[in-house]
Amino acid sequence: MKVRKAIVLAGAMVGLAACQSTGPYPSEGVSPIFSFPVTSNETPYTQCLTALQKVGGKNKPVFSVGEVADKTGQINYDDNGHALTQGVSEMVISALYKSGKVRLVERLDLRIPLAEMKLAEQRKLARNIDEYKLPASDFIVVGALTELNYNITSGGAQLFIEGIGGGARTVVINVALDMRVINARNFSVAYSTSLQKQIYGYEVEANIFRFFGDRLVEFDAGQIQNEPLQLGVRSVVEMGVYQVMTDFLGLPVSGGCNLVRTDHMANYLNK
């Protein structure tokens, strides 16, 4: 009898859902949730780039940015996508602009500019083709993300006694960028840099699970705090561009903006 009532109730609910195509929601839709405001996208090295705007100088070199690709070959199968951002070239353009010490010309996506020129040649624009005076690049920036190393080091501990316990874990990974500056007049490599950024994360958890009769009752609590992986990518990009501005173009280095140099690998040769 109870089974029959349950079937009748389920049928009634299905019929009601069919009559109301929007279900429990109003016909005009629902109010979307808005949480945090839009903010600027900065790294600790952004202040180093913006500090260069205060340095004097009028004869700014012309920079263009080519492909700065993700060549790590890493795929995130859980999210069905790439593990690292595919917008590194755009990050380089943004970093160069933040410095205020170069003139940028578009070379990355010329589809619309070339279409404009084609229309001007066909006299379909209110601009003559002779009005296009395009500045040539002095330097071209290209490169690639070359490393994504998981689990450089990790550690943790867990303890459970009679279904009650907890644990903590930490992990360190790194991402690396190789970037170079090409002299647009003779295609020689005028400058090159190789940088890496280690990224840290930790997890703390507490678990309680007990059997009450024939039922398993489980309670989980914890916290995961990870440094954003793409923030690490933007950080090495901005530091790489800062090196181009200071090491290559000779602009002064601000306090606290020096590259942290390590000798972890060199020590192996001294053993």
Side-chain angles (χ1 to χ4, degrees):
M1 192 66 177
K2 291 183 178 180
V3 174
R4 183 177 299 176
K5 288 182 178 180
I7 293 174
V8 172
L9 180 60
M13 294 178 64
V14 172
L16 180 61
C19 295
Q20 298 179 351
S21 59
T22 58
Y25 306 112
S27 59
E28 67 273 14
V30 298
S31 299
I33 296 175
F34 185 86
S35 56
F36 305 112
V38 177
T39 67
S40 58
N41 196 359
E42 298 180 348
T43 79
Y45 301 98
T46 301
Q47 61 180 341
C48 301
L49 290 170
T50 55
L52 295 174
Q53 298 176 9
K54 302 177 182 179
V55 179
K58 296 181 179 180
N59 190 21
K60 298 179 181 179
V62 179
F63 271 70
S64 62
V65 178
E67 184 183 40
V68 186
D70 171 19
K71 294 186 177 181
T72 62
Q74 300 283 353
I75 303 295
N76 189 335
Y77 292 101
D78 293 334
D79 296 332
N80 297 318
H82 296 275
L84 294 177
T85 174
Q86 303 300 287
V88 189
S89 296
E90 284 76 8
M91 288 184 178
V92 173
I93 293 172
S94 297
L96 286 168
Y97 184 83
K98 289 176 183 178
S99 74
K101 281 292 167 286
V102 302
R103 289 189 295 156
L104 284 168
V105 293
E106 179 62 45
R107 295 293 186 268
L108 191 62
D109 187 351
L110 293 175
R111 291 172 295 178
I112 300 301
L114 291 178
E116 288 271 309
M117 294 184 67
K118 186 67 175 179
L119 291 171
E121 287 180 344
Q122 298 172 352
R123 299 183 180 180
K124 294 181 179 180
L125 288 184
R127 181 184 296 129
N128 192 287
I129 188 65
D130 295 331
E131 295 182 46
Y132 287 92
K133 304 296 181 182
L134 306 181
S137 301
D138 295 316
F139 302 104
I140 306 164
V141 180
V142 294
L145 294 175
T146 51
E147 295 181 38
L148 176 58
N149 300 305
Y150 289 104
N151 208 9
I152 293 177
T153 184
S154 62
Q158 289 183 320
L159 176 64
F160 293 92
I161 300 176
E162 295 183 352
I164 302 176
R169 295 185 299 168
T170 63
V171 65
V172 176
I173 66 176
N174 87 322
V175 62
L177 170 75
D178 287 77
M179 192 169 67
R180 63 190 183 276
V181 178
I182 300 171
N183 188 323
R185 290 177 171 81
N186 55 23
F187 299 159
S188 63
V189 176
Y191 181 79
S192 181
T193 184
S194 180
L195 302 172
Q196 70 94 28
K197 169 77 170 68
Q198 294 187 355
I199 298 162
Y200 174 76
Y202 73 88
E203 177 182 0
V204 178
E205 62 177 342
N207 299 311
I208 301 173
F209 50 94
R210 289 280 184 87
F211 278 99
F212 291 90
D214 58 352
R215 295 184 179 181
L216 172 63
V217 178
E218 182 174 353
F219 171 77
D220 292 325
Q223 180 183 13
I224 298 175
Q225 189 76 35
N226 292 326
E227 182 179 353
L229 180 57
Q230 313 309 338
L231 175 62
V233 174
R234 190 178 292 274
S235 295
V236 293
V237 165
E238 292 197 346
M239 187 61 200
V241 170
Y242 188 71
Q243 280 191 304
V244 172
M245 296 294 103
T246 54
D247 292 353
F248 177 56
L249 294 183
L251 296 176
V253 178
S254 301
C257 293
N258 302 79
L259 178 68
V260 177
R261 299 186 181 276
T262 64
D263 58 354
H264 300 313
M265 296 297 103
N267 285 337
Y268 284 89
L269 299 179
N270 296 329
K271 292 180 181 179

